[in-house]
C-alpha cells in the first residue's frame, strides 16, 4: 500500500530540488545544476510511468506532479533570466502564462465552477521544450559547448509553444465557464422580432 504513494514522493522530491538548483546556478555551478535538472527530469518521467503502469494515480498526484514541474521550471527560468542566460521577455512570457492559469483556476473555484487540472497535449509539449531548453542552457554554461544557435532555436520554440498553450487554456477555460455554449450575440444584432 505504501508503494501507492511512491509517485507522490517522487514529485515532492522534485519540488525539494528547487532551492538546490537555484543555489547552484547562482553560485556558478552550472554543471551540478545540470545534474540536478537531469535527476528532476528523470523523477518526472518515473513518477508518471509508475502511476500509469501500476494504477497508482491519486487526486493528490494530479495536483502535485504539475505543481512540482512548474515550481522547478519557473524557478530555474527566472534564475537563468537574472543570470542573463535566457532573454527576459521569454521568462516574463513563461511566468505570465503560469500565473494566468493559476488565476483562472482560482476564479473558477470562486465562481463555484471548479476546474479539474488536466494538462493539454500542447501544454505537455511546452513543458518538454522548457525542460530541454533549461538542460541545453545549463550544459552550455557548464561545459562550454558553444550551443548559441541551438539555444536560440529552442528559445523561439518555447515562446511559440507558450503562446499556443496559453491560447488553448483560455479557450478550454471559457468553454468550461460557459458550459460549452457559444457566447450570446451582442444586443445590437438581435432583431425586433426576437426582442420581447
Amino acid at each position: 500500500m505504501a508503494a501507492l504513494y511512491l509517485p507522490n514522493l517522487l514529485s515532492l522530491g522534485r519540488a525539494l530540488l528547487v532551492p538546490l538548483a537555484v543555489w547552484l546556478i547562482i553560485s556558478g555551478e552550472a554543471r551540478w545544476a545540470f545534474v540536478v535538472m537531469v535527476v528532476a527530469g528523470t523523477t518526472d518521467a518515473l513518477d508518471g510511468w509508475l502511476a500509469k503502469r501500476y494504477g497508482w494515480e491519486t487526486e493528490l498526484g494530479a495536483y502535485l506532479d504539475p505543481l512540482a514541474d512548474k515550481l522547478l521550471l519557473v524557478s530555474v527560468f527566472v534564475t537563468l533570466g537574472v543570470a542573463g542566460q535566457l532573454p527576459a521577455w521569454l521568462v516574463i512570457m513563461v511566468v505570465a502564462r503560469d500565473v494566468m492559469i493559476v488565476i483562472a483556476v482560482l476564479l473558477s473555484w470562486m465562481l463555484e465552477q471548479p476546474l479539474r487540472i488536466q494538462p493539454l497535449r500542447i501544454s505537455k509539449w511546452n513543458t518538454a521544450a522548457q525542460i530541454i531548453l533549461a538542460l541545453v542552457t545549463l550544459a552550455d554554461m557548464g561545459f562550454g559547448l558553444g550551443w548559441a544557435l541551438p539555444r536560440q532555436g529552442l528559445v523561439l520554440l518555447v515562446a511559440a509553444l507558450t503562446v499556443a498553450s496559453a491560447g488553448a487554456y483560455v479557450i478550454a477555460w471559457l468553454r468550461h465557464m460557459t458550459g460549452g455554449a457559444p457566447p450570446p450575440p451582442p444586443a445590437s444584432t438581435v432583431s425586433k422580432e426576437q426582442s420581447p
Side-chain angles (χ1 to χ4, degrees):
M1 189 67 179
L4 178 64
Y5 302 101
L6 182 57
N8 293 344
L9 290 175
L10 290 172
S11 295
L12 184 59
R14 188 160 65 258
L16 294 176
L17 288 175
V18 172
L20 177 59
V22 170
W23 178 77
L24 288 171
I25 295 172
I26 292 175
S27 302
E29 299 289 344
R31 293 185 182 184
W32 285 109
F34 172 78
V35 172
V36 169
M37 282 295 295
V38 169
V39 171
T42 302
T43 65
D44 186 22
L46 184 58
D47 66 28
W49 180 81
L50 287 172
K52 292 180 180 179
R53 175 67 175 81
Y54 296 103
W56 294 343
E57 296 171 323
T58 63
E59 185 175 358
L60 174 61
Y63 288 91
L64 188 58
D65 181 53
L67 284 175
D69 288 343
K70 289 307 168 187
L71 181 61
L72 178 65
L73 284 173
V74 167
S75 298
V76 168
F77 264 62
V78 169
T79 308
L80 288 174
V82 171
Q85 296 295 326
L86 287 178
W89 61 264
L90 179 66
V91 176
I92 293 171
M93 183 184 294
V94 168
V95 173
R97 170 196 171 274
D98 291 338
V99 170
M100 179 195 72
I101 292 174
V102 170
I103 291 175
V105 171
L106 291 176
L107 187 57
S108 69
W109 278 85
M110 292 172 60
L111 296 176
E112 298 183 353
Q113 297 188 57
L115 180 64
R116 178 174 174 80
I117 296 178
Q118 186 175 4
L120 304 176
R121 181 174 298 180
I122 186 67
S123 177
K124 294 179 180 179
W125 293 346
N126 185 37
T127 299
Q130 289 180 7
I131 292 172
I132 293 171
L133 175 57
L135 287 171
V136 168
T137 301
L138 290 171
D140 192 25
M141 291 170 60
F143 301 97
L145 302 175
W147 284 355
L149 189 58
R151 285 172 60 177
Q152 291 175 5
L154 284 169
V155 164
L156 295 178
L157 176 62
V158 168
L161 289 173
T162 299
V163 171
S165 175
Y169 271 114
V170 167
I171 292 172
W173 183 79
L174 288 174
R175 285 178 177 170
H176 171 78
M177 298 302 290
T178 59
S188 59
T189 64
V190 179
S191 65
K192 293 181 180 180
E193 291 79 5
Q194 292 175 315
S195 57

